[in-house]
PDB file of all heavy atoms in Angstrom:
ATOM      1  N   ASP A 166      29.399  11.042   9.376  1.00 97.00           N
ATOM      2  CA  ASP A 166      28.885  12.077  10.323  1.00 97.00           C
ATOM      3  C   ASP A 166      29.409  11.914  11.788  1.00 97.00           C
ATOM      4  O   ASP A 166      29.087  12.633  12.681  1.00 97.00           O
ATOM      5  CB  ASP A 166      27.322  12.039  10.331  1.00 97.00           C
ATOM      6  CG  ASP A 166      26.687  13.209  10.998  1.00 97.00           C
ATOM      7  OD1 ASP A 166      27.095  14.356  10.716  1.00 97.00           O
ATOM      8  OD2 ASP A 166      25.785  12.994  11.884  1.00 97.00           O
ATOM      9  N   GLU A 341      34.567   2.324   1.327  1.00 97.00           N
ATOM     10  CA  GLU A 341      33.448   2.701   0.439  1.00 97.00           C
ATOM     11  C   GLU A 341      33.461   1.925  -0.834  1.00 97.00           C
ATOM     12  O   GLU A 341      32.440   1.459  -1.371  1.00 97.00           O
ATOM     13  CB  GLU A 341      33.345   4.194   0.196  1.00 97.00           C
ATOM     14  CG  GLU A 341      32.735   4.960   1.281  1.00 97.00           C
ATOM     15  CD  GLU A 341      32.310   6.356   0.859  1.00 97.00           C
ATOM     16  OE1 GLU A 341      31.268   6.418   0.139  1.00 97.00           O
ATOM     17  OE2 GLU A 341      32.917   7.274   1.304  1.00 97.00           O
ATOM     18  N   ARG A 402      21.449  -1.678  10.062  1.00 97.00           N
ATOM     19  CA  ARG A 402      21.053  -0.180   9.969  1.00 97.00           C
ATOM     20  C   ARG A 402      22.071   0.534   9.160  1.00 97.00           C
ATOM     21  O   ARG A 402      21.603   1.431   8.379  1.00 97.00           O
ATOM     22  CB  ARG A 402      21.059   0.359  11.367  1.00 97.00           C
ATOM     23  CG  ARG A 402      19.991  -0.085  12.194  1.00 97.00           C
ATOM     24  CD  ARG A 402      20.248   0.228  13.704  1.00 97.00           C
ATOM     25  NE  ARG A 402      20.225   1.589  14.058  1.00 97.00           N
ATOM     26  CZ  ARG A 402      20.009   2.115  15.267  1.00 97.00           C
ATOM     27  NH1 ARG A 402      19.853   1.272  16.312  1.00 97.00           N
ATOM     28  NH2 ARG A 402      19.980   3.400  15.491  1.00 97.00           N
TER      29      ARG A 402
ATOM     30  N   ARG C 665      24.981   8.039   3.707  1.00 98.00           N
ATOM     31  CA  ARG C 665      25.828   6.905   3.965  1.00 98.00           C
ATOM     32  C   ARG C 665      25.927   6.686   5.464  1.00 98.00           C
ATOM     33  O   ARG C 665      26.513   7.526   6.145  1.00 98.00           O
ATOM     34  CB  ARG C 665      27.190   7.093   3.301  1.00 98.00           C
ATOM     35  CG  ARG C 665      27.134   7.040   1.768  1.00 98.00           C
ATOM     36  CD  ARG C 665      28.384   7.522   1.112  1.00 98.00           C
ATOM     37  NE  ARG C 665      28.669   8.857   1.616  1.00 98.00           N
ATOM     38  CZ  ARG C 665      29.808   9.505   1.399  1.00 98.00           C
ATOM     39  NH1 ARG C 665      30.764   8.911   0.746  1.00 98.00           N
ATOM     40  NH2 ARG C 665      29.983  10.680   1.862  1.00 98.00           N
ATOM     41  N   GLU C 667      23.918   6.069   9.225  1.00 97.00           N
ATOM     42  CA  GLU C 667      23.038   7.020   9.948  1.00 97.00           C
ATOM     43  C   GLU C 667      23.803   8.272  10.324  1.00 97.00           C
ATOM     44  O   GLU C 667      25.006   8.139  10.708  1.00 97.00           O
ATOM     45  CB  GLU C 667      22.483   6.297  11.212  1.00 97.00           C
ATOM     46  CG  GLU C 667      21.564   5.219  10.979  1.00 97.00           C
ATOM     47  CD  GLU C 667      21.205   4.408  12.328  1.00 97.00           C
ATOM     48  OE1 GLU C 667      21.572   4.938  13.367  1.00 97.00           O
ATOM     49  OE2 GLU C 667      20.647   3.350  12.156  1.00 97.00           O
ATOM     50  N   GLN C 669      24.710  11.022  13.132  1.00 95.00           N
ATOM     51  CA  GLN C 669      24.709  10.865  14.587  1.00 95.00           C
ATOM     52  C   GLN C 669      23.598  11.746  15.295  1.00 95.00           C
ATOM     53  O   GLN C 669      23.854  12.923  15.473  1.00 95.00           O
ATOM     54  CB  GLN C 669      26.122  11.231  15.160  1.00 95.00           C
ATOM     55  CG  GLN C 669      26.321  10.744  16.608  1.00 95.00           C
ATOM     56  CD  GLN C 669      27.625  11.016  17.149  1.00 95.00           C
ATOM     57  OE1 GLN C 669      28.507  11.533  16.470  1.00 95.00           O
ATOM     58  NE2 GLN C 669      27.919  10.714  18.361  1.00 95.00           N
ATOM     59  N   LYS C 672      24.275  13.626  18.880  1.00 91.00           N
ATOM     60  CA  LYS C 672      25.038  14.858  19.095  1.00 91.00           C
ATOM     61  C   LYS C 672      24.173  16.063  18.732  1.00 91.00           C
ATOM     62  O   LYS C 672      24.531  17.206  19.084  1.00 91.00           O
ATOM     63  CB  LYS C 672      26.334  14.821  18.263  1.00 91.00           C
ATOM     64  CG  LYS C 672      26.144  14.986  16.750  1.00 91.00           C
ATOM     65  CD  LYS C 672      27.537  14.852  16.002  1.00 91.00           C
ATOM     66  CE  LYS C 672      27.419  15.043  14.509  1.00 91.00           C
ATOM     67  NZ  LYS C 672      28.670  14.739  13.806  1.00 91.00           N
TER      68      LYS C 672
END
Side-chain angles (χ1 to χ4, degrees):
Chain A
D166 191 51
E341 279 198 73
R402 289 163 68 158
Chain C
R665 289 169 307 167
E667 293 171 12
Q669 193 177 2
K672 73 183 181 190

